[in-house]
Amino acid sequence: MEDDAKNEITASNIPVPGSTPVRIPAPVPEAGIVLSEDIPDVGLLRPVSAEIQAPQTPPAQRALTAPVNDNAMQNDIQKILGSIKLPERRGAQIPAAPKQEITVAPIEQHLETPAQSTAAPERPLVTPVHTLKDDIQHVVREEKMSLVRAASLEEDRKLREEADKKQISPGDVQRKKRIGGVVFTALLLTALGLAALFGVMLVANQQADTPATQETTLVFAEQSLILPLEGMTSSSLKQQVAQLRTGQVGSLGSITRIIPAVSTTTSAGLETRPATTQEFLRALDASAPDALLRALDAEFFFGLHSADENAPVFVIPVASYDNAFAGMLAWEQSLNTDLSPIFTPLPVYQTDADGIPHARAFADAVIRNYDTRTLTDDNGTIQLYYSFPSPKILVIAESPYTFAEIIARLRAQRRL
């Protein structure tokens, strides 16, 4: 009779490092079968009773240290087989015992990693934004670099990035920048040139609009006044000029030109022009010799110099020096009377140290290294003088300060 019953062999616990003891199910031999000698571990098949009475030595150690004896092994096998009691067969085969699954806990579950044992630091809810300012501050603080140098490096980096995007080398970028600078400079210089040209044209147009008398003036004057001669007597003309002397006609040191004007009828109509030297002296009813009038040029300058007072001055070009000088010597007798009150009037007679009256006369003097003929008052102050600073210029004035100013302006205009 064949018996299919199987018996369970209880193995002792084998301590294995890193694992838990498990119960290993052993196959149940069939009846009448003799186990072979090829069982690897004999100690595992010892009976329970023998295992209890054995000394407390671990089976694994005992199996490793005990010498292998074939006879002892055979005896153990016979004892095991003898202790097995096979159940009787009652028409049905005893089902085999179900296999038990062995569950081995992984070693990693019993080990704690440092990351698990240490609590992770809490992350901030708001992450700060890293900006260019932070980079520049770091460079300035850590690398001891100036702010200008850091900004320059940042600009170079941007240029390189732009060059990389456009597939252009940094040299091309720098070249384009230089070309742009040259073009901008050229445009700026062109604009400045046009502005200067416009200013020159504007000044030229303004000068073209001024009367011709201003262009041909003998002496530079800060301002000009027109004095009409029509319908005026000599006394009224002299009084009007004398009133100008008492008023404020210019700033200190300036010269105001007075232009005597006459009206003439031409084919184009009525025109106003500056009076000539002869016309103005006749309007003043001056008794100048005819030889003097012929020796003087038609153009002349008459004005008021704001020095210690508003002093009158004549500047007349000379056509003939000999005749002009002789004519002035002849005119000395009535020169002050003819020009009063334009010039300060002086009495015809004056008394000397002895109290004897005699006619007032001109005397020779030197002013600014030029020979002059002067007329003084009773205190010896010069009130009228004339001089020929050059054979082509005659100056008649009152204040000595005026003579110095006229000489300076004539030199500036290259007339001396």
Side-chain angles (χ1 to χ4, degrees):
M1 185 175 88
E2 294 179 1
D3 297 331
D4 296 334
K6 297 180 181 180
N7 192 11
E8 180 179 353
I9 299 176
T10 305
S12 63
N13 298 332
I14 300 175
V16 178
S19 64
T20 56
V22 297
R23 183 175 297 277
I24 303 174
V28 180
E30 296 183 358
I33 299 175
V34 179
L35 299 175
S36 65
E37 297 178 0
D38 298 331
I39 300 175
D41 194 359
V42 178
L44 297 175
L45 301 178
R46 296 179 180 276
V48 177
S49 60
E51 183 178 357
I52 295 174
Q53 295 178 2
Q56 300 299 324
T57 302
Q61 184 179 0
R62 193 167 57 247
L64 296 174
T65 57
V68 179
N69 193 351
D70 295 341
N71 295 329
M73 187 181 297
Q74 291 292 334
N75 293 331
D76 292 336
I77 293 172
Q78 292 297 330
K79 288 180 181 181
I80 291 172
L81 293 176
S83 62
I84 297 173
K85 294 181 180 181
L86 299 176
E88 298 180 358
R89 184 175 182 178
R90 297 182 182 180
Q93 184 177 359
I94 301 175
K99 296 182 180 181
Q100 297 181 358
E101 296 181 358
I102 301 174
T103 304
V104 180
I107 300 177
E108 289 78 0
Q109 293 181 358
H110 302 280
L111 299 177
E112 292 183 357
T113 60
Q116 293 176 352
S117 60
T118 305
E122 295 182 359
R123 299 181 62 183
L125 298 179
V126 179
T127 303
V129 179
H130 194 75
T131 60
L132 176 61
K133 179 180 179 182
D134 299 333
D135 293 339
I136 294 179
Q137 289 180 351
H138 172 73
V139 169
V140 172
R141 187 183 302 110
E142 300 296 334
E143 300 185 9
K144 307 300 182 182
M145 186 182 297
S146 65
L147 186 60
V148 176
R149 177 62 178 168
S152 177
L153 293 176
E154 179 64 20
E155 186 67 22
D156 293 340
R157 183 187 65 80
K158 290 182 179 180
L159 291 176
R160 288 194 297 271
E161 289 181 355
E162 292 179 358
D164 294 339
K165 291 180 181 179
K166 298 179 181 179
Q167 299 298 326
I168 302 175
S169 62
D172 295 337
V173 175
Q174 294 292 338
R175 193 176 302 108
K176 288 185 177 180
K177 289 183 64 178
R178 287 195 296 270
I179 293 174
V182 171
V183 172
F184 175 76
T185 304
L187 293 177
L188 181 60
L189 292 177
T190 303
L192 293 177
L194 292 176
L197 181 60
F198 176 76
V200 171
M201 294 177 61
L202 183 61
V203 172
N205 292 333
Q206 290 179 353
Q207 291 180 353
D209 294 337
T210 56
T213 55
Q214 289 284 349
E215 296 180 356
T216 59
T217 181
L218 297 174
V219 180
F220 171 75
E222 281 74 12
Q223 59 181 344
S224 299
L225 298 176
I226 297 178
L227 180 63
L229 299 181
E230 282 77 18
M232 296 184 65
T233 62
S234 61
S235 60
S236 62
L237 180 59
K238 293 177 182 179
Q239 289 294 334
Q240 187 172 357
V241 176
Q243 290 178 1
L244 292 176
R245 289 193 58 181
T246 59
Q248 182 67 31
V249 293
S251 60
L252 183 63
S254 65
I255 296 179
T256 302
R257 183 185 181 187
I258 299 176
I259 305 175
V262 294
S263 298
T264 58
T265 303
T266 61
S267 59
L270 187 63
E271 291 183 358
T272 301
R273 61 173 179 82
T276 63
T277 306
Q278 294 75 13
E279 291 174 343
F280 184 60
L281 291 178
R282 291 192 184 101
L284 295 177
D285 196 15
S287 58
D290 293 336
L292 176 62
L293 296 178
R294 290 191 299 268
L296 300 178
D297 192 50
E299 179 186 3
F300 74 102
F301 177 90
F302 173 65
L304 296 177
H305 176 223
S306 299
D308 51 345
E309 57 179 350
N310 291 329
V313 57
F314 280 93
V315 179
I316 307 173
V318 175
S320 175
Y321 171 73
D322 294 335
N323 294 331
F325 185 77
M328 289 301 299
L329 289 177
W331 195 21
E332 287 182 357
Q333 303 299 325
S334 60
L335 180 60
N336 181 259
T337 304
D338 291 342
L339 298 181
S340 298
I342 297 176
F343 288 79
T344 302
L346 294 175
V348 177
Y349 294 95
Q350 65 177 359
T351 57
D352 56 10
D354 297 332
I356 301 174
H358 59 86
R360 194 181 303 271
F362 280 82
D364 292 331
V366 177
I367 301 176
R368 296 291 178 177
N369 295 328
Y370 289 98
D371 293 331
T372 60
R373 295 281 292 172
T374 63
L375 184 67
T376 60
D377 58 10
D378 294 341
N379 298 324
T381 304
I382 297 176
Q383 299 295 339
L384 178 61
Y385 64 89
Y386 69 91
S387 174
F388 290 90
S390 75
K392 296 183 179 182
I393 296 294
L394 170 63
V395 176
I396 303 174
E398 178 176 322
S399 173
Y401 301 106
T402 304
F403 186 73
E405 183 67 22
I406 291 298
I407 294 297
R409 298 197 182 198
L410 288 174
R411 287 176 178 174
Q413 294 182 251
R414 299 182 181 275
R415 293 187 178 273
L416 284 182

